[in-house]
């Protein structure tokens, strides 16, 4: 079983991440752990320009993770029924896919 | 083959040959013991393997019929007791307790933040969830229970300097204020921000007193209005009479009736 803090995500293609949750609800644990993990030194070091904001509300809304990518894409993860590891792997896989696309594009441009 | 063996075991015959090994050992089909293909075991070996197969031990009484095992109550660790006592003290002695989520922060930032908060007499305490949760569920702070998942810190203070605390926390993006308990009132983040915008206690008291005193003062001025007006008019009349005596004897203006 993988530990959530061991998953490495490269945040280069990410512009900003907004984590919205209501701490008095009971389904926010995975979202809060997700927030704790992406604030880790190593993941933050992959992209210093990526802003991570935490939006703490008290309106009974669901926990939400809103990721804006550099190329305009948006990823919304509703954390009420997701685990931390699932959210991290989903984000990580999308980031890797975008990185690959970028590399291919830059290779095409150079050749 | 058995005939040859019996011939080897027979003692009689030539006096120097007691027993001899058969020169030829008959081998069927030319295959050896260890083969690359699967070879069927000798029948006796098959029987032995079938007899000595592993059979899982079945409990004499099925487990559902037994009385359920009572969970062992864990001994209270001395260290856990100490931490719990510290947290109880913190809850008892301080008017303001703010709960924040702690995401890992660089060390120097942490030290700076602690320094700034210390200047306003706010102390930073790291808490462990497994100690706080049972303590809270037994005390009156039950509604703070869902806050304590993931890493948290407590900012405790005997005074309620919320504005300064919010200012310091705004400069630190890795600490997120979740909620607070100020003067035994549980507030969410919006509640804390509203609390910061409130005027100080003295100003609020002055405003209340002023608002309360407004109506009775209006009533008293209304009640005294009539007699005050009459007094003023009579004073004016006297003044004019005196002025009329000293000057030309003019007809005195008739005293106007009050009201």
């Amino acid at each position: 079983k993988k530990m959530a803090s061991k998953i490495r995500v490269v945040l280069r293609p990410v512009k900003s991440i907004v984590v919205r949750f209501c701490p008095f609800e009971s389904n926010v644990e995975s979202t809060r752990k997700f927030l704790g993990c992406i604030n880790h030194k190593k993941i933050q070091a992959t992209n210093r320009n990526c802003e991570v904001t935490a939006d703490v509300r008290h309106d009974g809304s669901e926990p939400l993770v809103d990721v804006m990518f550099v190329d305009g894409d948006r990823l919304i993860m509703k954390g009420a029924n997701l685990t931390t590891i699932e959210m991290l792997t989903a984000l990580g896989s999308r980031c890797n896919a975008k990185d690959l696309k970028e590399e291919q594009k830059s290779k095409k441009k150079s050749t | 083959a058995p005939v040859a063996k019996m011939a080897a075991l027979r003692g009689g015959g030539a006096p120097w040959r007691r027993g001899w090994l058969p020169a030829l050992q008959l081998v069927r089909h030319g295959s050896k013991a260890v083969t690359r293909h699967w070879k069927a075991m000798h029948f006796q070996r098959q029987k032995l393997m079938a007899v000595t197969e592993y059979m899982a031990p079945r409990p004499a009484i099925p487990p559902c019929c037994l009385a359920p095992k009572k969970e062992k109550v864990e001994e209270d660790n001395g260290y856990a007791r100490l931490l719990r006592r510290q947290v109880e003290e913190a809850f008892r002695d301080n008017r303001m307790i703010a709960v924040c989520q702690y995401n890992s922060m660089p060390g120097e930032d942490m030290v700076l933040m602690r320094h700034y908060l210390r200047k306003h007499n706010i102390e930073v305490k790291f808490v462990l969830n497994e100690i706080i949760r049972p303590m809270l569920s037994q005390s009156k702070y039950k509604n703070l229970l869902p806050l304590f998942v993931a890493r948290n810190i407590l900012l405790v203070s005997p005074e309620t300097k919320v504005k300064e605390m919010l200012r310091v926390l705004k400069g630190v993006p890795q600490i997120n204020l979740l909620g607070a308990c100020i003067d035994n009132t549980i507030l969410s983040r919006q509640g804390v921000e509203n609390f910061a915008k409130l005027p100080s206690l003295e100003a609020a008291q002055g405003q209340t007193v002023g608002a309360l005193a407004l109506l009775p003062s209006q009533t008293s001025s209304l009640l005294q209005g009539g007699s005050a007006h009459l007094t003023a008019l009579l004073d004016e009349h006297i003044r004019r009479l005196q002025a009329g005596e000293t000057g030309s004897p003019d007809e005195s203006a008739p005293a106007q009736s009050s009201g």
Side-chain angles (χ1 to χ4, degrees):
Chain A
K1 287 274 166 81
K2 263 208 140 170
M3 272 182 61
S5 51
K6 296 272 197 278
I7 300 179
R8 295 280 168 256
V9 177
V10 179
L11 291 180
R12 222 174 304 128
V14 174
K15 194 157 67 169
S16 72
I17 303 182
V18 176
V19 182
R20 188 180 317 151
F21 60 89
C22 172
F24 289 93
E25 296 283 319
S26 46
N27 50 3
V28 295
E29 184 176 342
S30 54
T31 315
R32 281 182 69 176
K33 287 210 176 125
F34 176 81
L35 179 63
C37 290
I38 44 172
N39 267 315
H40 202 260
K41 274 188 294 199
K42 298 209 173 153
I43 300 186
Q44 289 280 305
T46 60
N47 186 353
R48 295 264 175 222
N49 297 332
C50 174
E51 310 148 1
V52 178
T53 13
D55 192 2
V56 178
R57 306 228 173 142
H58 191 42
D59 46 9
S61 58
E62 312 184 322
L64 196 71
V65 177
D66 192 348
V67 186
M68 282 295 280
F69 289 98
V70 165
D71 48 4
D73 280 352
R74 206 166 158 196
L75 169 66
I76 300 188
M77 294 196 274
K78 302 214 171 144
N81 294 317
L82 291 170
T83 66
T84 320
I85 300 183
E86 283 173 11
M87 291 202 270
L88 281 169
T89 39
L91 181 62
S93 61
R94 277 178 184 69
C95 288
N96 289 337
K98 289 209 193 283
D99 256 347
L100 279 174
K101 251 199 305 188
E102 288 271 334
E103 279 183 23
Q104 284 173 356
K105 257 197 234 167
S106 58
K107 272 194 201 158
K108 272 194 198 159
K109 274 190 189 165
S110 61
T111 55
Chain B
V3 177
K5 272 201 214 147
M6 299 303 277
L9 289 169
R10 217 167 30 123
W16 61 87
R17 277 199 173 191
R18 293 289 178 241
W20 48 272
L21 283 166
L24 276 177
Q25 289 193 348
L26 295 170
V27 168
R28 280 182 125 192
H29 298 291
S31 65
K32 306 200 167 115
V34 178
T35 52
R36 288 185 190 184
H37 61 271
W38 176 77
K39 194 168 94 161
M41 287 193 254
H42 196 273
F43 188 62
Q44 282 171 346
R45 189 169 173 213
Q46 266 181 358
K47 282 199 275 188
L48 189 68
M49 298 294 279
V51 165
T52 56
E53 240 179 67
Y54 175 71
M55 288 185 61
R58 278 173 63 192
I61 312 169
C64 48
C65 297
L66 286 169
K69 249 192 196 174
K70 279 183 208 144
E71 278 181 25
K72 276 182 242 173
V73 179
E74 280 174 16
E75 291 173 1
D76 228 1
N77 205 358
Y79 184 52
R81 255 181 289 152
L82 171 73
L83 290 172
R84 198 181 319 141
R85 221 181 323 140
Q86 281 184 343
V87 173
E88 278 167 9
E89 262 179 48
F91 266 94
R92 235 193 349 245
D93 300 338
N94 296 300
R95 276 177 67 192
M96 171 175 89
I97 305 154
V99 184
C100 306
Q101 171 151 348
Y102 173 75
N103 306 312
S104 56
M105 236 166 94
E108 315 92 50
D109 285 358
M110 189 67 194
V111 169
L112 270 174
M113 190 193 82
R114 277 193 123 128
H115 172 68
Y116 284 130
L117 288 174
R118 249 280 151 242
K119 276 193 182 167
H120 300 302
N121 201 7
I122 302 179
E123 216 186 293
V124 177
K125 281 195 187 294
F126 280 86
V127 288
L128 283 177
N129 290 338
E130 55 255 20
I131 296 178
I132 274 226
R133 291 195 128 235
M135 207 207 90
L136 284 182
S137 52
Q138 289 161 2
S139 75
K140 55 182 176 173
Y141 300 103
K142 283 204 189 60
N143 291 321
L144 284 175
L145 213 49
L147 287 183
F148 287 96
V149 262
R151 295 189 76 182
N152 300 301
I153 58 171
L154 289 179
L155 306 176
V156 297
S157 163
E159 305 145 19
T160 55
K161 289 194 174 158
V162 181
K163 253 189 253 174
E164 289 83 359
M165 186 181 80
L166 282 179
R167 209 177 302 146
V168 171
L169 288 180
K170 219 185 288 191
V172 184
Q174 292 103 336
I175 301 241
N176 315 114
L177 177 65
L178 302 174
C181 177
I182 302 182
D183 284 335
N184 288 331
T185 324
I186 295 186
L187 298 166
S188 73
R189 200 206 167 100
Q190 271 80 36
V192 171
E193 285 165 8
N194 294 340
F195 182 84
K197 289 192 198 129
L198 286 178
S200 72
L201 192 61
E202 293 80 22
Q205 281 170 344
Q207 277 179 353
T208 324
V209 166
L212 285 175
L214 182 63
L215 283 175
S217 67
Q218 276 182 347
T219 320
S220 74
S221 64
L222 274 177
L223 288 172
Q224 292 172 349
S227 44
H229 193 117
L230 178 59
T231 325
L233 285 171
L234 289 173
D235 277 338
E236 177 67 26
H237 182 61
I238 294 171
R239 204 176 54 77
R240 282 203 190 158
L241 282 176
Q242 285 174 348
E245 276 178 17
T246 50
S248 53
D250 254 354
E251 268 184 65
S252 61
Q256 295 170 21
S257 61
S258 66

